[in-house]
Amino acid sequence: MTSAKVSAAGAARAEGAAAAHGAGPGGSTGGRRRRRLPGKALPYLLLAPAVAAELIVHVVPIAVGIWMSFKELTLFYIREWSKAPGKGLGNYRVAVDVDGAIGADLLRSFLVTLAVTVLAVGLSWLLGTTAAVLMQERFRGRGPLRAIFLVPYALPVYTAVMTWAFMFQRDNGMVNHVLADQLHVTGGDRPFWLIGNNSFWALVTVIVWRSWPFAFLVLMAGLQNISRDLYEASALDGAGVWRQIRHITLPALRPINQVLVLVLFLWTFNDFNTPFVLFGKAAPAGGDLISVHIYHASFVTWNFGTGSAMSVLLLLFLLLVTAAYLLVTSRRRPAHG
């Protein structure tokens, strides 16, 4: 009797273990197969929230903006925007007509944006590269100095730009106090920095101040992958600092610079927060970036159809520039293997 009870208990435990592992009484793995089925759909289930967020945040607004660009959506149709009459390509004709007031203003804003972007990206890259190269050498206080360099990038945009707006004040701003009162660069005059042509240089200064730490951070990380043996070998061959930078540092950083320049270009060309906080809704001609110009055309004049057409044209321009840039840089990239 005791042996029979032990055998029965062992069989019960075996069946329980088989059931726990998904096997049936006959050794079937049907339960295990049923457990594998959700595993195939698991990657898609994990991607679903990100895909839904991408659709809601980017794809749907882009589609709505393209639809609005073909409508005569003005102040008179805001309450019933779905009933706005179609305008075809009329909004695009108005936006690209440089002989008209709207097209001429858009072209001027585009040229200002292009000039600000090229100058700001060039200076940000130059400052970032210089700082990254200098910070490679070991010296006392290098760690705290690196952290200080990253402060402009870490600060919230509104806090940083509002601080610069106070500094650019004509009567009590620190910029005029240093330039006019202490250095006497302006001959005693206190220029206006937030209106007129000087707004261009004020905007470039703020953008460069906020952008170059990002370039410094990326390039400093890229320099970590360059072997110090290359510099030591070149120094033994008589190469100076400039030759090392030209023939070792810059070629090794070329793939990183290709991505960095493109990212800085897109960020600066699309920058809305900096000019909006610095100048307000009515940006001066020297600081009228195209993002603020489109905002003014849409939300100040209430002409959402024309503003949407401008946004679509901006999107097409950036896509074209990105495609051309990637095509050119991929052809210049040396083949390995």
Side-chain angles (χ1 to χ4, degrees):
M1 294 294 292
T2 304
S3 301
K5 290 181 179 180
V6 172
S7 301
R13 284 196 298 268
E15 290 182 2
H21 287 82
S28 174
T29 58
R32 187 179 301 175
R33 291 176 181 173
R34 287 194 296 270
R35 287 176 177 271
R36 288 180 180 176
L37 289 178
K40 297 180 180 179
L42 182 59
Y44 302 99
L45 294 176
L46 295 176
L47 286 175
V51 173
E54 184 71 18
L55 290 174
I56 295 174
V57 176
H58 291 103
V59 178
V60 173
I62 290 175
V64 173
I66 295 175
W67 174 82
M68 290 170 57
S69 66
F70 296 103
K71 294 289 184 177
E72 191 178 355
L73 189 57
T74 58
L75 175 64
F76 304 102
Y77 298 99
I78 294 298
R79 294 186 62 181
E80 297 181 354
W81 55 271
S82 61
K83 297 181 180 180
K87 200 173 181 179
L89 297 176
N91 292 323
Y92 292 92
R93 296 191 187 98
V94 172
V96 299
D97 184 14
V98 295
D99 295 328
I102 297 177
D105 290 341
L106 180 62
L107 178 61
R108 175 186 53 78
S109 177
F110 172 79
L111 295 177
V112 170
T113 306
L114 188 61
V116 169
T117 302
V118 172
L119 190 58
V121 170
L123 291 176
S124 299
W125 178 85
L126 181 61
L127 291 175
T129 303
T130 303
V133 171
L134 293 177
M135 290 297 104
Q136 287 301 110
E137 299 296 333
R138 295 184 179 275
F139 59 89
R140 191 171 185 178
R142 184 179 66 164
L145 192 58
R146 282 179 173 181
I148 293 175
F149 283 171
L150 296 177
V151 169
Y153 180 68
L155 283 176
V157 57
Y158 289 96
T159 303
V161 178
M162 286 180 65
T163 303
W164 274 102
F166 284 112
M167 292 171 59
F168 278 127
Q169 292 296 321
R170 179 181 182 271
D171 296 327
N172 53 6
M174 192 185 73
V175 174
N176 278 341
H177 175 69
V178 173
L179 295 179
D181 300 339
Q182 295 184 349
L183 300 179
H184 305 286
V185 175
T186 60
D189 296 333
R190 291 178 172 269
F192 291 95
W193 292 103
L194 300 181
I195 60 176
N197 295 329
N198 289 332
S199 60
F200 175 86
W201 300 108
L203 182 60
V204 170
T205 301
V206 177
I207 292 177
V208 171
W209 183 81
R210 293 192 60 248
S211 299
W212 82 266
F214 175 76
F216 163 70
L217 180 64
V218 173
L219 293 172
M220 186 174 60
L223 288 174
Q224 304 298 323
N225 296 324
I226 304 177
S227 176
R228 301 301 301 176
D229 296 339
L230 297 176
Y231 294 100
E232 295 174 0
S234 62
L236 293 176
D237 292 338
V241 176
W242 294 112
R243 291 191 64 184
Q244 289 178 348
I245 294 176
R246 180 181 177 183
H247 296 286
I248 299 177
T249 305
L250 293 180
L253 292 177
R254 184 176 300 168
I256 298 176
N257 280 324
Q258 290 175 354
V259 179
L260 175 63
V261 170
L262 179 60
V263 171
L264 289 176
F265 180 87
L266 295 177
W267 280 1
T268 307
F269 209 95
N270 280 317
D271 191 6
F272 173 81
N273 294 327
T274 302
F276 185 79
V277 177
L278 193 62
F279 304 119
K281 295 181 180 180
D288 185 25
L289 295 190
I290 196 168
S291 57
V292 180
H293 188 86
I294 294 175
Y295 168 84
H296 188 275
S298 300
F299 294 96
V300 177
T301 62
W302 297 95
N303 195 340
F304 290 97
T306 304
S308 299
M310 294 178 181
S311 300
V312 174
L313 292 174
L314 175 60
L315 175 63
L316 294 177
F317 169 76
L318 294 178
L319 289 176
L320 180 62
V321 170
T322 302
Y325 179 83
L326 294 177
L327 181 62
V328 171
T329 54
S330 62
R331 287 182 175 180
R332 291 182 178 179
R333 187 175 303 167
H336 297 281

Coordinates of all heavy atoms in Angstrom, one line a residue, residues 44-109:
Y44 N 5.7 44.0 -31.9 CA 4.7 44.9 -32.5 C 3.9 45.6 -31.4 O 3.5 46.8 -31.5 CB 3.8 44.2 -33.5 CG 4.5 43.5 -34.6 CD1 4.8 42.2 -34.6 CD2 5.0 44.3 -35.7 CE1 5.5 41.5 -35.6 CE2 5.6 43.7 -36.7 CZ 5.9 42.3 -36.7 OH 6.6 41.7 -37.7
L45 N 3.6 44.8 -30.3 CA 2.9 45.4 -29.2 C 3.7 46.5 -28.5 O 3.2 47.5 -28.1 CB 2.5 44.3 -28.2 CG 1.4 43.3 -28.7 CD1 1.2 42.3 -27.7 CD2 0.1 44.0 -29.1
L46 N 5.0 46.2 -28.4 CA 5.9 47.2 -27.8 C 6.1 48.4 -28.6 O 6.3 49.5 -28.1 CB 7.3 46.6 -27.5 CG 7.3 45.4 -26.5 CD1 8.7 44.8 -26.4 CD2 6.8 45.9 -25.1
L47 N 6.1 48.3 -30.0 CA 6.2 49.4 -30.9 C 4.9 50.2 -31.0 O 5.0 51.4 -31.5 CB 6.7 48.9 -32.2 CG 8.1 48.5 -32.4 CD1 8.4 48.0 -33.8 CD2 9.1 49.7 -32.1
A48 N 3.8 49.6 -30.7 CA 2.5 50.3 -30.9 C 2.4 51.6 -30.2 O 1.9 52.6 -30.9 CB 1.4 49.3 -30.5
P49 N 2.8 51.8 -29.0 CA 2.7 53.1 -28.4 C 3.5 54.2 -29.1 O 3.1 55.3 -29.2 CB 3.1 52.9 -26.9 CG 2.9 51.4 -26.7 CD 3.2 50.8 -28.0
A50 N 4.7 53.8 -29.5 CA 5.6 54.7 -30.2 C 5.0 55.1 -31.5 O 5.1 56.3 -31.9 CB 7.0 54.2 -30.3
V51 N 4.5 54.1 -32.2 CA 3.9 54.4 -33.5 C 2.7 55.3 -33.4 O 2.5 56.3 -34.2 CB 3.5 53.1 -34.3 CG1 2.8 53.4 -35.5 CG2 4.8 52.3 -34.6
A52 N 1.8 55.0 -32.4 CA 0.7 55.9 -32.1 C 1.1 57.3 -31.8 O 0.5 58.2 -32.3 CB -0.2 55.2 -31.0
A53 N 2.1 57.4 -30.9 CA 2.5 58.8 -30.6 C 3.1 59.5 -31.8 O 2.9 60.7 -32.0 CB 3.6 58.7 -29.5
E54 N 3.8 58.8 -32.7 CA 4.4 59.4 -33.9 C 3.3 59.9 -34.8 O 3.4 61.0 -35.4 CB 5.3 58.4 -34.6 CG 6.0 59.0 -35.8 CD 7.1 60.0 -35.4 OE1 7.5 60.0 -34.3 OE2 7.5 60.7 -36.3
L55 N 2.2 59.1 -34.9 CA 1.1 59.4 -35.8 C 0.4 60.7 -35.2 O 0.1 61.6 -36.0 CB 0.1 58.3 -35.9 CG 0.6 57.1 -36.7 CD1 -0.4 55.9 -36.6 CD2 0.8 57.5 -38.2
I56 N 0.2 60.7 -33.9 CA -0.5 61.8 -33.3 C 0.3 63.1 -33.3 O -0.2 64.2 -33.6 CB -0.9 61.4 -31.9 CG1 -1.9 60.3 -31.9 CG2 -1.6 62.6 -31.1 CD1 -2.3 59.7 -30.5
V57 N 1.6 63.0 -33.0 CA 2.4 64.2 -32.9 C 2.9 64.7 -34.2 O 3.0 65.9 -34.4 CB 3.6 63.9 -31.9 CG1 4.5 65.1 -31.8 CG2 3.1 63.5 -30.5
H58 N 3.2 63.9 -35.2 CA 3.8 64.3 -36.4 C 3.0 64.1 -37.6 O 2.7 65.0 -38.4 CB 5.2 63.6 -36.6 CG 6.2 64.1 -35.6 ND1 6.6 63.3 -34.5 CD2 7.0 65.2 -35.5 CE1 7.5 64.0 -33.8 NE2 7.7 65.1 -34.4
V59 N 2.6 62.8 -37.9 CA 2.0 62.5 -39.2 C 0.6 63.2 -39.3 O 0.4 63.8 -40.4 CB 1.9 61.0 -39.3 CG1 1.2 60.6 -40.6 CG2 3.3 60.3 -39.2
V60 N -0.2 63.1 -38.3 CA -1.5 63.7 -38.4 C -1.4 65.2 -38.6 O -2.1 65.8 -39.5 CB -2.4 63.3 -37.2 CG1 -3.7 64.1 -37.2 CG2 -2.6 61.8 -37.2
P61 N -0.6 66.0 -37.8 CA -0.5 67.4 -38.0 C 0.0 67.8 -39.4 O -0.4 68.7 -40.0 CB 0.4 67.9 -36.9 CG 0.3 66.9 -35.8 CD 0.0 65.6 -36.5
I62 N 1.0 67.0 -39.9 CA 1.5 67.2 -41.2 C 0.4 67.1 -42.3 O 0.2 67.9 -43.2 CB 2.7 66.3 -41.6 CG1 3.9 66.7 -40.7 CG2 3.0 66.4 -43.0 CD1 5.1 65.8 -40.9
A63 N -0.4 66.0 -42.1 CA -1.5 65.7 -43.1 C -2.6 66.8 -43.0 O -3.0 67.3 -44.0 CB -2.1 64.4 -42.8
V64 N -2.9 67.3 -41.8 CA -3.9 68.4 -41.6 C -3.3 69.7 -42.2 O -4.0 70.4 -42.9 CB -4.2 68.5 -40.2 CG1 -5.1 69.8 -40.0 CG2 -4.9 67.3 -39.6
G65 N -2.0 69.9 -42.0 CA -1.4 71.1 -42.6 C -1.4 71.1 -44.1 O -1.7 72.2 -44.7
I66 N -1.1 70.0 -44.7 CA -1.2 69.9 -46.1 C -2.6 70.1 -46.6 O -2.8 70.8 -47.6 CB -0.7 68.5 -46.6 CG1 0.8 68.4 -46.3 CG2 -0.9 68.4 -48.1 CD1 1.4 67.1 -46.6
W67 N -3.6 69.6 -45.9 CA -5.0 69.8 -46.3 C -5.4 71.3 -46.2 O -6.0 71.8 -47.0 CB -5.9 68.9 -45.4 CG -7.4 69.2 -45.6 CD1 -8.2 68.6 -46.6 CD2 -8.2 70.0 -44.8 NE1 -9.4 69.1 -46.5 CE2 -9.5 70.0 -45.4 CE3 -8.0 70.8 -43.7 CZ2 -10.6 70.7 -44.9 CZ3 -9.0 71.5 -43.2 CH2 -10.3 71.5 -43.8
M68 N -4.9 71.9 -45.1 CA -5.3 73.3 -44.9 C -4.6 74.2 -46.0 O -5.1 75.3 -46.3 CB -4.8 73.7 -43.5 CG -5.6 73.1 -42.4 SD -4.9 73.4 -40.8 CE -4.7 75.2 -40.8
S69 N -3.5 73.8 -46.5 CA -2.8 74.6 -47.5 C -3.6 74.7 -48.8 O -3.3 75.7 -49.6 CB -1.4 74.1 -47.8 OG -1.5 72.8 -48.4
F70 N -4.5 73.8 -49.0 CA -5.3 73.9 -50.2 C -6.7 74.5 -50.0 O -7.6 74.5 -50.8 CB -5.6 72.5 -50.8 CG -4.3 71.9 -51.3 CD1 -3.7 70.9 -50.5 CD2 -3.7 72.2 -52.5 CE1 -2.5 70.3 -51.0 CE2 -2.5 71.7 -52.9 CZ -1.9 70.7 -52.2
K71 N -6.9 75.1 -48.8 CA -8.2 75.7 -48.4 C -8.0 77.2 -48.1 O -6.9 77.7 -47.8 CB -8.7 75.1 -47.1 CG -9.1 73.6 -47.2 CD -10.3 73.4 -48.1 CE -10.7 71.9 -48.1 NZ -12.0 71.8 -48.9
E72 N -9.1 77.9 -48.3 CA -9.1 79.4 -48.0 C -9.5 79.5 -46.6 O -10.6 80.1 -46.3 CB -10.1 80.1 -49.0 CG -10.0 81.6 -48.9 CD -10.9 82.3 -49.9 OE1 -11.5 81.6 -50.7 OE2 -10.9 83.5 -49.8
L73 N -8.7 79.1 -45.7 CA -9.0 79.1 -44.3 C -8.5 80.4 -43.6 O -7.4 80.5 -43.2 CB -8.3 77.9 -43.6 CG -8.7 77.6 -42.1 CD1 -10.2 77.4 -42.0 CD2 -8.0 76.4 -41.6
T74 N -9.4 81.3 -43.5 CA -9.1 82.6 -43.0 C -10.0 82.8 -41.7 O -10.6 81.9 -41.2 CB -9.5 83.7 -44.0 OG1 -10.9 83.6 -44.4 CG2 -8.6 83.6 -45.2
L75 N -10.0 84.0 -41.2 CA -10.7 84.4 -40.0 C -12.2 84.1 -40.1 O -12.8 83.7 -39.1 CB -10.4 85.9 -39.7 CG -11.2 86.5 -38.5 CD1 -10.7 85.8 -37.2 CD2 -11.0 88.0 -38.4
F76 N -12.7 84.2 -41.3 CA -14.2 84.0 -41.4 C -14.6 82.6 -41.4 O -15.8 82.3 -41.3 CB -14.6 84.6 -42.8 CG -14.2 86.1 -42.9 CD1 -13.1 86.4 -43.7 CD2 -14.9 87.0 -42.3 CE1 -12.7 87.7 -43.9 CE2 -14.5 88.4 -42.4 CZ -13.4 88.7 -43.2
Y77 N -13.7 81.6 -41.4 CA -14.0 80.2 -41.4 C -13.4 79.5 -40.2 O -13.4 78.2 -40.2 CB -13.6 79.5 -42.7 CG -14.2 80.1 -44.0 CD1 -13.5 81.0 -44.7 CD2 -15.5 79.7 -44.4 CE1 -14.1 81.6 -45.9 CE2 -16.1 80.2 -45.5 CZ -15.4 81.2 -46.3 OH -15.9 81.7 -47.4
I78 N -13.0 80.2 -39.2 CA -12.4 79.5 -38.1 C -13.4 78.7 -37.3 O -13.1 77.5 -36.9 CB -11.7 80.6 -37.1 CG1 -10.6 81.3 -37.8 CG2 -11.2 79.9 -35.8 CD1 -9.5 80.4 -38.2
R79 N -14.6 79.2 -37.1 CA -15.6 78.4 -36.3 C -16.0 77.2 -37.0 O -16.3 76.2 -36.4 CB -16.8 79.3 -36.0 CG -16.4 80.5 -35.1 CD -17.7 81.3 -34.7 NE -18.6 80.4 -33.9 CZ -19.8 80.8 -33.4 NH1 -20.2 82.0 -33.7 NH2 -20.5 80.0 -32.8
E80 N -16.1 77.2 -38.4 CA -16.5 76.1 -39.2 C -15.4 75.8 -40.2 O -15.6 76.0 -41.4 CB -17.8 76.3 -39.8 CG -19.0 76.5 -38.8 CD -20.3 76.7 -39.5 OE1 -20.3 76.8 -40.8 OE2 -21.3 76.8 -38.8
W81 N -14.2 75.4 -39.7 CA -13.1 75.3 -40.6 C -13.2 74.2 -41.6 O -12.6 74.2 -42.6 CB -11.8 75.1 -39.7 CG -12.0 73.9 -38.8 CD1 -12.4 73.9 -37.5 CD2 -11.6 72.5 -39.1 NE1 -12.4 72.6 -37.0 CE2 -11.9 71.8 -37.9 CE3 -11.1 71.9 -40.2 CZ2 -11.6 70.4 -37.8 CZ3 -10.8 70.5 -40.1 CH2 -11.1 69.8 -39.0
S82 N -14.1 73.2 -41.3 CA -14.2 72.1 -42.2 C -15.0 72.5 -43.5 O -15.0 71.9 -44.5 CB -15.0 70.9 -41.6 OG -16.3 71.3 -41.1
K83 N -15.7 73.7 -43.4 CA -16.5 74.2 -44.5 C -15.8 75.2 -45.3 O -16.4 75.9 -46.2 CB -17.8 74.7 -44.0 CG -18.7 73.7 -43.4 CD -20.0 74.3 -42.9 CE -20.9 73.2 -42.2 NZ -22.2 73.8 -41.8
A84 N -14.5 75.4 -45.0 CA -13.7 76.4 -45.8 C -13.6 76.0 -47.2 O -13.4 74.9 -47.6 CB -12.3 76.6 -45.2
P85 N -13.8 77.0 -48.1 CA -13.8 76.7 -49.6 C -12.4 76.3 -50.0 O -11.4 76.7 -49.5 CB -14.3 77.9 -50.3 CG -14.0 79.0 -49.3 CD -14.1 78.4 -47.9
G86 N -12.3 75.5 -51.1 CA -11.0 75.1 -51.6 C -10.4 76.2 -52.4 O -11.1 77.0 -53.0
K87 N -9.1 76.3 -52.4 CA -8.4 77.3 -53.1 C -7.4 76.7 -54.1 O -6.7 77.5 -54.8 CB -7.7 78.3 -52.1 CG -7.3 79.6 -52.7 CD -6.8 80.6 -51.6 CE -6.5 81.9 -52.2 NZ -6.0 82.9 -51.2
G88 N -7.2 75.4 -54.1 CA -6.3 74.8 -55.0 C -4.8 75.2 -54.7 O -4.4 75.1 -53.5
L89 N -4.1 75.6 -55.7 CA -2.7 76.0 -55.5 C -2.6 77.5 -55.2 O -1.5 78.1 -55.3 CB -1.9 75.6 -56.7 CG -1.7 74.1 -56.9 CD1 -0.9 73.9 -58.2 CD2 -1.1 73.4 -55.7
G90 N -3.7 78.2 -55.0 CA -3.7 79.6 -54.8 C -2.8 80.1 -53.7 O -2.1 81.1 -53.8
N91 N -2.9 79.4 -52.5 CA -2.0 79.8 -51.4 C -0.5 79.7 -51.8 O 0.3 80.5 -51.3 CB -2.3 78.9 -50.2 CG -3.7 79.2 -49.6 OD1 -4.2 80.4 -49.6 ND2 -4.4 78.2 -49.2
Y92 N -0.2 78.6 -52.5 CA 1.2 78.5 -52.9 C 1.6 79.5 -53.9 O 2.8 80.0 -53.8 CB 1.4 77.1 -53.5 CG 1.2 75.9 -52.6 CD1 0.0 75.3 -52.4 CD2 2.3 75.5 -51.8 CE1 -0.1 74.3 -51.5 CE2 2.2 74.5 -50.9 CZ 0.9 73.9 -50.7 OH 0.8 72.8 -49.8
R93 N 0.7 79.9 -54.8 CA 1.1 81.0 -55.7 C 1.3 82.3 -55.0 O 2.2 83.1 -55.3 CB -0.1 81.2 -56.8 CG -0.3 80.0 -57.7 CD -1.2 80.3 -58.8 NE -1.6 79.1 -59.6 CZ -2.7 78.4 -59.4 NH1 -3.6 78.8 -58.5 NH2 -2.9 77.4 -60.2
V94 N 0.5 82.6 -54.0 CA 0.7 83.8 -53.2 C 2.0 83.8 -52.5 O 2.7 84.8 -52.4 CB -0.5 84.0 -52.2 CG1 -0.2 85.1 -51.3 CG2 -1.8 84.3 -53.0
A95 N 2.4 82.6 -51.9 CA 3.6 82.5 -51.1 C 4.9 82.6 -51.9 O 5.9 83.2 -51.5 CB 3.6 81.1 -50.4
V96 N 4.8 82.1 -53.2 CA 6.1 82.2 -54.0 C 6.1 83.4 -54.9 O 7.1 83.6 -55.7 CB 6.2 80.9 -54.8 CG1 6.3 79.7 -53.9 CG2 5.0 80.7 -55.8
D97 N 5.1 84.2 -54.9 CA 5.0 85.4 -55.8 C 5.9 86.5 -55.1 O 5.4 87.2 -54.3 CB 3.6 85.8 -56.0 CG 3.5 87.0 -56.9 OD1 4.5 87.3 -57.6 OD2 2.4 87.7 -57.0
V98 N 7.1 86.6 -55.6 CA 8.0 87.6 -55.0 C 7.7 89.0 -55.4 O 8.2 90.0 -54.8 CB 9.5 87.3 -55.4 CG1 9.9 86.0 -54.8 CG2 9.6 87.3 -56.9
D99 N 6.8 89.2 -56.4 CA 6.4 90.5 -56.7 C 5.3 91.0 -55.8 O 5.0 92.3 -55.7 CB 5.9 90.6 -58.2 CG 7.0 90.3 -59.2 OD1 8.1 90.6 -58.9 OD2 6.7 89.7 -60.2
G100 N 4.6 90.2 -55.1 CA 3.6 90.6 -54.1 C 4.2 90.8 -52.8 O 5.3 90.4 -52.5
A101 N 3.4 91.4 -51.9 CA 3.9 91.7 -50.6 C 4.1 90.5 -49.7 O 5.2 90.4 -49.0 CB 2.8 92.6 -49.9
I102 N 3.2 89.5 -49.8 CA 3.4 88.3 -49.0 C 4.6 87.5 -49.4 O 5.4 87.1 -48.6 CB 2.1 87.5 -49.0 CG1 1.0 88.2 -48.4 CG2 2.3 86.1 -48.3 CD1 -0.4 87.5 -48.4
G103 N 4.7 87.3 -50.7 CA 5.9 86.6 -51.3 C 7.2 87.3 -51.0 O 8.2 86.6 -50.7
A104 N 7.2 88.6 -51.2 CA 8.5 89.3 -50.9 C 8.9 89.2 -49.5 O 10.1 89.1 -49.2 CB 8.3 90.8 -51.3
D105 N 7.9 89.3 -48.6 CA 8.3 89.2 -47.1 C 8.8 87.8 -46.8 O 9.7 87.6 -46.0 CB 7.1 89.6 -46.3 CG 6.7 91.0 -46.3 OD1 7.6 91.8 -46.7 OD2 5.6 91.4 -46.0
L106 N 8.2 86.8 -47.4 CA 8.6 85.4 -47.2 C 10.0 85.2 -47.7 O 10.8 84.5 -47.1 CB 7.6 84.5 -47.8 CG 7.9 83.0 -47.6 CD1 7.9 82.6 -46.2 CD2 7.0 82.1 -48.4
L107 N 10.3 85.7 -48.9 CA 11.7 85.6 -49.4 C 12.7 86.3 -48.6 O 13.8 85.8 -48.3 CB 11.7 86.2 -50.9 CG 13.0 86.1 -51.6 CD1 13.5 84.7 -51.7 CD2 13.0 86.8 -52.9
R108 N 12.4 87.5 -48.1 CA 13.3 88.2 -47.2 C 13.5 87.4 -45.9 O 14.6 87.3 -45.4 CB 12.7 89.6 -46.9 CG 13.6 90.4 -45.9 CD 12.9 91.7 -45.5 NE 11.5 91.4 -45.1 CZ 11.2 91.0 -43.9 NH1 12.1 90.7 -43.0 NH2 9.9 90.8 -43.5
S109 N 12.4 86.8 -45.3 CA 12.6 86.0 -44.1 C 13.4 84.8 -44.4 O 14.2 84.4 -43.6 CB 11.2 85.7 -43.6 OG 11.3 84.8 -42.5

